[in-house]
Amino acid sequence: MSTGDLDQLAHFPQSNGKQPWRARVVTLYPEMFPGPLAVSVVGSALEAGLWSIEAIDLRAYGTGRHRTVDDHPAGGGAGMVLRCDVVAEAIDAARKDEPALPIVYASPRGEPLTQRLAAEWAAGAGLIVVAGRFEGVDQRVIEARGLREVSIGDYVLSGGELAAFVMFDACVRLLPGVIGSSASLAEESFCNGLLEYPQYTRPREWEGRTLPDVLLSGDHKRIAEWRRAESERLTRERRPDLLARHGR
Ligand code: ADE
């Protein structure tokens, strides 16, 4: 898929038009949601019904009087592992009415989250994220339910919930009507495989620093060329891996 195709997907995502985009998370901490997703543009979109969020409480599927969800790792070792039967039941409940929703297991072991992946999810009906805790989930449920493992970066969080916030936010802001101008989406970092150029606003001079002259020139062609050159310079300096990935 080309970047142009992705732009199309990101700006005209919903196939059914009316249904809100569905975010679902399987978690031991349902009270964390919607949390930070209730504020700003993403929060307004939630209130407006452009998307919905549902937290499926893993504890409700636990076994026995104590609703146990975890057990010791087979073969020994530190920590606890979420049981496959418990996680599977919660997943099955999460996708009961929506068997085709993509389903992700948030894990530092997964493939990296990218703008491309977020655009693909935003173009669909929604996303289910399984948020692990402890030492993770029993491998068998990952295989049996076809969970796609996705990481938000090369560091380890205490659970997958923060990763779920990141994934939902990255998707929801791409839904039509969530961010006022589709031009700002088209120009931002990663959209064209480059980091975004530096932004400036008033005052014209601040602490001895002036605005770059070109931005005051009114010459839109020159401004666009300058921005492009700045994007390329920043990407070359900070993220040469992005240039390599886009064959530049
Ligand atoms: N859970 C713990 N660490 C994580 C990470 N880096 N990405 C996604 N899920 C995680």
Side-chain angles (χ1 to χ4, degrees), residues 66-115:
H66 296 294
R67 298 238 163 261
T68 305
V69 296
D70 57 350
D71 212 328
H72 299 280
M80 301 293 274
V81 176
L82 290 170
R83 289 174 56 119
C84 50
D85 50 351
V86 173
V87 175
E89 262 202 70
I91 288 173
D92 294 346
R95 64 192 337 189
K96 195 172 53 191
D97 59 327
E98 287 278 359
L101 281 186
I103 179 154
V104 157
Y105 171 48
S107 159
R109 214 172 63 173
E111 68 185 280
L113 176 65
T114 58
Q115 190 64 22

Side-chain angles (χ1 to χ4, degrees), residues 110-118 121 150-153 163 166-167 170-171:
E111 68 185 280
L113 176 65
T114 58
Q115 190 64 22
R116 171 175 290 257
L117 200 46
W121 289 332
V150 176
S151 166
I152 64 159
V166 168
M167 293 178 200
C171 294

Side-chain angles (χ1 to χ4, degrees), residues 5-244:
D5 293 331
L6 281 174
D7 289 346
Q8 290 281 322
L9 286 179
H11 298 150
F12 305 101
Q14 279 158 334
S15 47
N16 52 17
K18 284 186 191 65
Q19 290 267 37
W21 190 85
R22 277 176 288 287
R24 290 183 184 166
V25 54
V26 173
T27 172
L28 273 174
Y29 301 99
E31 66 277 14
M32 285 175 78
F33 294 86
L37 301 177
V39 302
S40 191
V41 282
V42 167
S44 304
L46 183 60
E47 246 177 65
L50 294 178
W51 69 289
S52 65
I53 183 155
E54 199 184 328
I56 292 91
D57 186 0
L58 197 53
R59 184 71 60 190
Y61 301 88
T63 60
R65 201 157 58 87
H66 296 294
R67 298 238 163 261
T68 305
V69 296
D70 57 350
D71 212 328
H72 299 280
M80 301 293 274
V81 176
L82 290 170
R83 289 174 56 119
C84 50
D85 50 351
V86 173
V87 175
E89 262 202 70
I91 288 173
D92 294 346
R95 64 192 337 189
K96 195 172 53 191
D97 59 327
E98 287 278 359
L101 281 186
I103 179 154
V104 157
Y105 171 48
S107 159
R109 214 172 63 173
E111 68 185 280
L113 176 65
T114 58
Q115 190 64 22
R116 171 175 290 257
L117 200 46
E120 281 174 20
W121 289 332
L127 177 69
I128 302 174
V129 178
V130 178
R133 283 269 153 181
F134 319 124
E135 299 309 308
V137 303
D138 186 312
Q139 179 64 25
R140 290 170 294 177
V141 73
I142 297 176
E143 293 165 12
R145 292 297 181 273
L147 304 183
R148 184 171 186 176
E149 290 186 69
V150 176
S151 166
I152 64 159
D154 291 340
Y155 39 80
V156 181
L157 303 167
S158 53
E161 287 80 4
L162 288 173
F165 284 128
V166 168
M167 293 178 200
F168 293 147
D169 184 276
C171 294
V172 169
R173 60 190 295 286
L174 297 177
L175 301 177
V178 173
I179 287 183
S181 152
S182 58
S184 59
L185 287 178
E187 282 174 21
E188 70 190 6
S189 285
F190 304 114
C191 204
N192 55 6
L194 297 173
L195 300 182
E196 196 180 2
Y197 49 80
Q199 296 280 12
Y200 298 87
T201 185
R202 287 191 285 197
R204 195 174 173 140
E205 190 186 329
W206 176 74
E207 294 193 350
R209 295 166 189 268
T210 53
L211 297 181
D213 285 339
V214 62
L215 299 181
L216 302 168
S217 69
D219 182 338
H220 296 297
K221 185 160 171 281
R222 268 187 62 218
I223 291 172
E225 284 165 2
W226 179 84
R227 286 177 166 166
R228 175 78 191 189
E230 283 293 285
S231 277
E232 288 180 358
R233 179 183 64 77
L234 284 173
T235 312
R236 210 178 312 112
E237 282 173 17
R238 297 180 182 180
R239 295 293 305 277
D241 57 304
L242 289 178
L243 293 177

